Structure formats: structure tokens, C-alpha cells
Amino acid sequence: MYEARQEIYPREAKGRYASLRWLCVWLTQLAYYGLPWLTWNGRQAVLFDLTTRKFYLFGLVLWPQDFIYLAALLIICAWLLFLVTAVAGRVWCGFACPQTVYTEIFLWIERQIEGPRSARMALAKQGPSLRKFSKRTAKHLAWGLVALWTGFTFVGYFTPIKVLGAESFTLAFGPWEWFWVLFYALATYGNAGWLREQVCKYMCPYARFQSSMFDRDTLIVTYDAKRGEPRGKVAKDAGKSVNGGSCIDCTMCVQVCPTGIDIRNGLQYECIGCAACVDACNSVMDKVEQPRGLIRYSTDRAMTDGMSAQDIRRRAMRPRVLIYCAGLLLVVVAVGTSLALRTPLKMDVIRDRGSMGREVDGGAIENVYRLQIMNTSEQSHRYCIAAHGMPGLALATANEVTLAGTETRAVPIRLRAPHGAGETGSNKITIQLTAVDDPALTVSETAVFIVPR
Amino acid sequence: MSDFTNNFWNLYIVVLTVLGVLGCAVLLYSQSKYKVAKHNGPVGTTGHVWDEDLTELNTPMPRWWMWMFYLTIVFGIAYLFLYPGLGYAGKLGWNSAKEYKAELAKADSEYGPLFEKYRQQDLKAVAADPQAHAIGERLFLTYCAQCHGSDARGNKGFPNLTDKDWLHGGAPDAIKQTIMNGRHGVMPPMGAALGSDKDIENVAHYVLSLSGSAASDPIKSVFGKSKFSVCMACHGAGGVGNQAMGAPNLADKTWLYGGSAETIMETIRKGRDNTMPAFGDFLGEPKVHVLSAYVWSLSNETR
């Protein structure tokens, strides 16, 4: 129950959508390869420091306690994907997915070394020769270099890339750095160089559930069968095929397809919406002096009902899309507000469990707490500790503590309440921490003060 | 080797694992022999039809995926061979206890020199060092606070470490000795030796009077004085205690279990048995050194 893979040699497509894809390649890769090299506050601007469990994102420092933001980020990504897919189909796959982007880069290298589609196919058919060997070696070397650089950059997000860069001259990486540089490089090389459309067809889960976001008004790459059929060889009176349809059966759309499908068979799960066939068909239509758009971005409804571009645009604003928009907006606003209001200071109050409350001179009652204080900002701060909630409640230990930037410390404190200040048993109190130099920097935690019988 | 009282469940798991691996291999092999007819265009269906026209295509999987399945079996066998999965130690001899020890050794080699530096210093000098103080505080909060409290002021039965009252001496070296080897303080039940309940009550009030407590009844105290001779062997003539044997000073206002007549009577009747565990073997001397300096500094002005 298996079959050997059929090699695909995609022809280069040129046109509006190909240019758009290259723009996406440039934007995403400039960001990916460039970000780790930026400096902010004297440190790497974007650094996920796993050893000290701190994520630096420009001015923002995220701690493990801020994990919720990762969840929020994933929710935003999901909503965005739903929204974009509902409106415009698999544009993520066709233009921004790393698999597509790296395949595009690797294909470009392949073209530079082995030549266009026909030359590549001929080279593949050829028996072993010095020419074939040298071309293949050059290609794999170039792929390998790009892959290694990609792996190196990847690790640069987790360990300071400038140190890593210095290490790379002497190959003095640590064991885990070696592993991830090579692993990520191998993954890039394998996925973009060898697996290509196999990832989209057999491995990518998104291909499997995209259809749940599709409806009849979703933009898809589609072949206008009404106009194209019956297809046939191009006739003398340029324009129509011998059989009368616009499709001249030149198979250009099949040759450029990176997943090797024939779009004229209708919407298929293998179609990643890259629109290479649109570009290819348009250039052919130009040549045979026919209007463009035999293969185009359109919707299922538009195809069957014959809608104009304007109607398609009007149908884009449907309940499903509006709900996705609302959900997205809600999460973005919530996350933005939460990030803006975040205080870079955290405190946990841990009551000593060994003793409930103890009586000291004059009948006053003391309770012991441990304050786990995290200064999550990058500056050193002096904090004032205060307690409220019972008359006369005060600290019996030092009420100030200084923490260096990003320091975490457990501070034992003793609270004292005068005789008769509270009920026997537990009393609700509040412990407050305020930065002396910045009163806005304040957190308070509720705790329990126990008055023994 | 086995965590179970007999070897049956161990064997049960081994058999299940081996059968599982073999089963996967056989299934995979038999399926790979099953050829799909050459086709142009859509492949056939499995013959299943749902909801009138929904059919399942009989699409063959890619060959490389087949190889991946075989590879996972090879990986699984190699893994079971190298690691303890089939009830024997595995070729690599790995186990989690070894890994834990290796991590401990790594941490020791990283922080060891720091503790070693302090170990070379006098305890009072260590106590004056701010970094050592911070380390000592963290050690205290981790290992000592459960009994003595985060603020080291103790609990009933657990001594307050911030005052000048010491059962076994408050000199830096005595504290270190206590943490290293632990202490075992025993007050034997003295009820029988003292006599009646009345006698016990009288002695308790005499004990209270030693520290000038207002709760002491002067008349009972006078009667109790003669009986106190039984206690002198340990607590001394004036009840001032003996640090050499860990007998508490009864002439101050510090009480380990409470200073009421009832509590003292209970102590006399039933005795007390108190243990401070030894931390020497667990923490190692260098850490105890820093910790001792911190504890000493709690009751002594160092800076």
C-alpha cells in the first residue's frame, strides 16, 4: 500500500503573484535573519533566554508567569488564520508559510545552478557524469550553506547571537547549540530541498482542516471551466482553441504547480493557493491575445452564479468573516491593554505553616510570612513593604527591601498586631509592595493573619 | 531490580512490549506487500460510502513514509537495547539516580569553589560578608524555616535562634556543631521521682519563681523548693541549666514549650524528647559553614 514519489520540477512562474511571493520571502527572511542582530538597552533585542527563563522582546521582558501571553499570541495567530482563510483561502500556505518560503529560496538556487525546468528534467534523466556530479554537488553545498545559516540564526534567538557568531569561527559551540544548529539546518535542507510538496500533501495538518474555514464565498484559485472548455490545441485564428474554449491545453498551469496538480480538475486539497498557475495562464492568455483570468482568484459562488468582482467583494463581508474579525479584535485589544497595564513587579505571600500566630511581649500577636518578590523590570528598585487590614497592624521587621534588576528573592517578614486588634482565628489582611522611586509600581496580595486563642 | 514483590508484572510488561514491536513489524510488512494497481487519474475507493455520496479514496501512502515506519521500529529496538526498558539495565547503564548524581556533581563543581572560599574563613568573618549572608539566608529558608520559622524565631518545641538563649551554646562553633551533627535533648519523665501531683505542682511553681514569674504561687513554691533537688543534677542548683548536656536554663523567661504552670507540670510528668536532625552529611560541611555563620549573625550584631 505505498507508491514511489513522482518528482516534480516546477517551472518558474513570473507575474503579479510571483512578485508578491518574492516580496513575502524578502520581508519574512529579513525579519528572521535580521532580528537577532538588533540591540536594545545594551542587550539583544529579541532573545528567548531559556536558562534564566526570561524572554526579551525589545522593551518587554516576559517571565514564566507571563505564559498567558504566549497563549494569547497563539489565539491571535489562530483567529488571524481563520479570518484570512475564510476570506482568501490558503494565502498563508502560498505566500508566507516557511515551507513555501524556503522552498522558493531553494528552488531559486536550483534554477541558478541546474537551469530551468527542462534542463533540470534532462539532468535528472541523464546517467552519471562529471557535469551532473559537479552541478548536484554545487547545489547541495549552496543548500547546505543556507540551511546552516538558518540553523545558526534559529539558535541565535535562544543564545546571544554575537557570542554564537564568535564561537562559530572556532566551532566552539556547546553540545546543545551544536544539536539545534545542525537539527534545524537538517530540517531546512530536508524540507525545502527534498520533501517540498510532500510536506504539504502528507505532513501538514493545516491542509487537512482548511476546508472547515472555507465556504462558497471564499476566494480560491480556480479555473473558469465555462470559459475554458472545451479545451484543445490553439487554432489559427489566435484566441480560441480548435474546440472553441479559451483553454489551449498548453499545461503551463500544471508545469508551474509546486504540488504537481492540475487546477483544471477543480479545487483539491493539495492546492496551496500560491497562484503560480494564475501567473502562468495569464502570460499565455496575453500571448494568444485573450483576456486574462481563465485561471484566477474567484469564489465558488461567483463561478456558478457568474458574479462580478464587485459582487465578490461585497460577499466578503459575511457573518462568518465579521465574527472572526470581532474575535480577533477582542483578543488583540485585551492583550494590548493587559500588556500596557502590566506592572513589572510580582509578589507571592507565603504564610509560615509551622506556627499559626505567636504572642509576644505586651500581648501583641506576631505572624510570619515569606514574601517571594520578583523584580521583573531591568532596573534596580527599592520597595516599601506595608500591611493593612487590622488596626495597628505593622511590620516588626525591616519595611524596605532593594532588589536588583530581574532579581527574585524570598524576604521573610513579621507582622505584629496589638492585643485585641482582630478576631480570634483568621483575619483578612493585605500586604502591599510599592517602589519608593515610582509609586505606580505597586502590587498587593491578600493574606491571612491568625490570632491564636 | 524489580520494583514489584514478584517478577510477574515485570515480565508482563516485557512480553507486551516485545509483542507490540513484533506486531507492528508484521503488520507493516504484510501491508507493504499489498500492491496498489497502477492508475491514471483518481485512485479507487475503499468501497465505503456514507451520506449517500461520500466515499473514501484508497490513496496509497508515499514510500518514504513506509521507510519512516520501519525506522521507528529500528529506533524502538535500539532504544530498548540501550536503555532500561526490558527489565535489564540497558547497554548504556543509564538510570535516573545516576543522572541526578551527575547533576549534583555538576552543581557542586560550579558552586563548590565559592563555598570552599568561605570555609577557609573564620565563622565571624563569614557572618560579616554580605554575599555569604544572602546565601545563608537562602539556605536557612530552604532547610531550616520549616521548624524554626522563616524569621528564625522558632515555635513551640523549636528554639528561637534570634535570642541569646542557647541550649547547647551560642558560640559560632557550637552552632556549627549543632547543625553538623544534630542534637538530641531528652528530659526524662520525673513524675514518679517527685511523688504526688501536689509535689509536681509545687515544683512547677518553684521553677516559675526562679525567673521571677508573677504566675508563681509563693506558698507552693516554698514547698516545691525542697523537691527541686531531684532536678539539680541536670538543671543546676539555681536552675541555670547546663549547656554541656543541653539542659535548659530555668531561671530566664525563655521557654521552649511554654511558661505556664500547666505546661511545666506536663513537662515534669511526661518528660520531653526533642531532636534536631544532623545536616552535616546531607548539606556537606562547606554549606553548613555558611549556614552556621548566618544563624550566629541572627543574634549577634555583625555589621
Side-chain angles (χ1 to χ4, degrees), chain A residues 59-133:
Chain A
L60 193 68
V61 185
L62 295 179
W63 290 55
Q65 284 80 354
D66 298 316
F67 219 67
I68 182 90
Y69 293 112
L70 179 66
L73 181 73
L74 292 177
I75 293 172
I76 290 174
C77 288
W79 277 109
L80 249 171
L81 193 64
F82 296 167
L83 174 64
V84 167
T85 308
V87 172
R90 293 177 71 182
V91 285
W92 159 260
C93 298
F95 294 90
C97 170
Q99 180 65 23
T100 299
V101 166
Y102 285 104
T103 304
E104 193 77 13
I105 295 172
F106 274 47
L107 265 173
W108 180 83
I109 293 173
E110 194 170 78
R111 262 201 313 275
Q112 302 311 306
I113 295 172
E114 294 186 356
R117 180 174 194 257
S118 49
R120 295 207 300 275
M121 287 169 88
L123 191 71
K125 276 213 193 85
Q126 213 172 79
S129 73
L130 188 65
R131 188 174 148 272
K132 183 173 180 177
F133 178 75

Side-chain angles (χ1 to χ4, degrees), chain A residues 119-402:
Chain A
R120 295 207 300 275
M121 287 169 88
L123 191 71
K125 276 213 193 85
Q126 213 172 79
S129 73
L130 188 65
R131 188 174 148 272
K132 183 173 180 177
F133 178 75
S134 57
K135 285 208 166 191
R136 283 280 155 94
T137 312
K139 179 178 81 173
H140 288 290
L141 268 178
W143 281 358
L145 283 176
V146 174
L148 279 174
W149 185 29
T150 310
F152 167 79
T153 305
F154 177 73
V155 174
Y157 278 92
F158 299 92
T159 169
I161 198 162
K162 280 169 191 163
V163 179
L164 202 66
E167 282 176 357
S168 67
F169 286 111
T170 53
L171 295 179
F173 295 160
W176 283 111
E177 289 166 358
W178 267 121
F179 174 79
W180 283 108
V181 167
L182 293 181
F183 181 82
Y184 205 81
L186 192 73
T188 309
Y189 171 79
N191 282 331
W194 291 95
L195 286 168
R196 293 193 182 164
E197 86 287 349
Q198 300 278 311
V199 174
C200 310
K201 281 167 74 174
Y202 298 110
M203 292 153 81
C204 180
Y206 177 47
R208 306 279 154 178
F209 68 85
Q210 50 143 337
S211 53
S212 66
M213 290 158 242
F214 273 49
D215 57 27
R216 295 195 63 210
D217 294 307
T218 300
L219 281 176
I220 46 173
V221 175
T222 177
Y223 165 68
D224 193 343
K226 273 186 197 160
R227 188 187 137 193
E229 302 294 327
R231 62 183 89 147
K233 287 275 170 274
V234 65
K236 288 236 166 61
D237 58 332
K240 300 276 174 176
S241 68
V242 283
N243 296 333
S246 279
C247 178
I248 57 165
D249 207 10
C250 64
T251 70
M252 286 300 268
C253 54
V254 181
Q255 293 180 31
V256 295
C257 182
T259 57
I261 57 165
D262 187 344
I263 193 65
R264 293 171 299 176
N265 291 340
L267 183 62
Q268 293 146 74
Y269 84 94
E270 291 99 330
C271 174
I272 59 170
C274 70
C277 50
V278 178
D279 282 337
C281 189
N282 279 345
S283 64
V284 171
M285 287 299 116
D286 287 352
K287 272 184 206 136
V288 298
E289 288 166 4
Q290 277 270 317
R292 293 176 160 213
L294 177 59
I295 301 175
R296 64 175 185 270
Y297 267 114
S298 185
T299 68
D300 185 38
R301 196 190 299 277
M303 277 295 158
T304 48
D305 300 2
M307 281 158 58
S308 68
Q310 212 176 359
D311 287 333
I312 293 174
R313 235 167 293 149
R314 200 169 315 121
R315 297 282 316 173
M317 282 298 143
R318 51 197 190 274
R320 174 193 200 105
V321 173
L322 294 177
I323 289 170
Y324 287 150
C325 282
L328 186 64
L329 195 71
L330 194 76
V331 182
V332 168
V333 167
V335 171
T337 316
S338 157
L339 273 178
L341 296 178
R342 205 172 70 109
T343 26
L345 173 64
K346 292 181 200 301
M347 174 173 69
D348 270 338
V349 177
I350 305 156
R351 233 190 138 271
D352 258 28
R353 284 164 178 80
S355 71
M356 289 305 181
R358 74 169 81 91
E359 200 177 316
V360 293
D361 287 347
I365 307 295
E366 278 186 2
N367 275 208
V368 184
Y369 304 84
R370 202 186 290 185
L371 305 185
Q372 187 78 26
I373 302 174
M374 303 173 81
N375 175 10
T376 59
S377 75
E378 291 183 90
Q379 292 81 38
S380 168
H381 282 292
R382 195 151 59 95
Y383 300 103
C384 182
I385 309 168
H388 321 283
M390 288 167 76
L393 186 70
L395 264 91
T397 41
N399 66 351
E400 280 195 349
V401 57
T402 304

Side-chain angles (χ1 to χ4, degrees), chain A residues 1 3 198 352 355 414, chain B residues 31 34 64 150-151 153 155:
Chain A
M1 275 296 285
E3 72 181 352
Q198 300 278 311
D352 258 28
S355 71
R414 245 177 320 134
Chain B
Q31 291 305 298
Y34 190 85
W64 59 265
S150 295
D151 63 346
R153 286 179 180 248
N155 285 310

Side-chain angles (χ1 to χ4, degrees), chain B residues 136-160:
Chain B
E137 183 179 51
R138 280 198 290 274
L139 286 172
F140 186 89
L141 287 175
T142 307
Y143 299 110
C144 315
Q146 287 79 3
C147 294
H148 293 283
S150 295
D151 63 346
R153 286 179 180 248
N155 285 310
K156 186 178 176 182
F158 301 97
N160 180 350

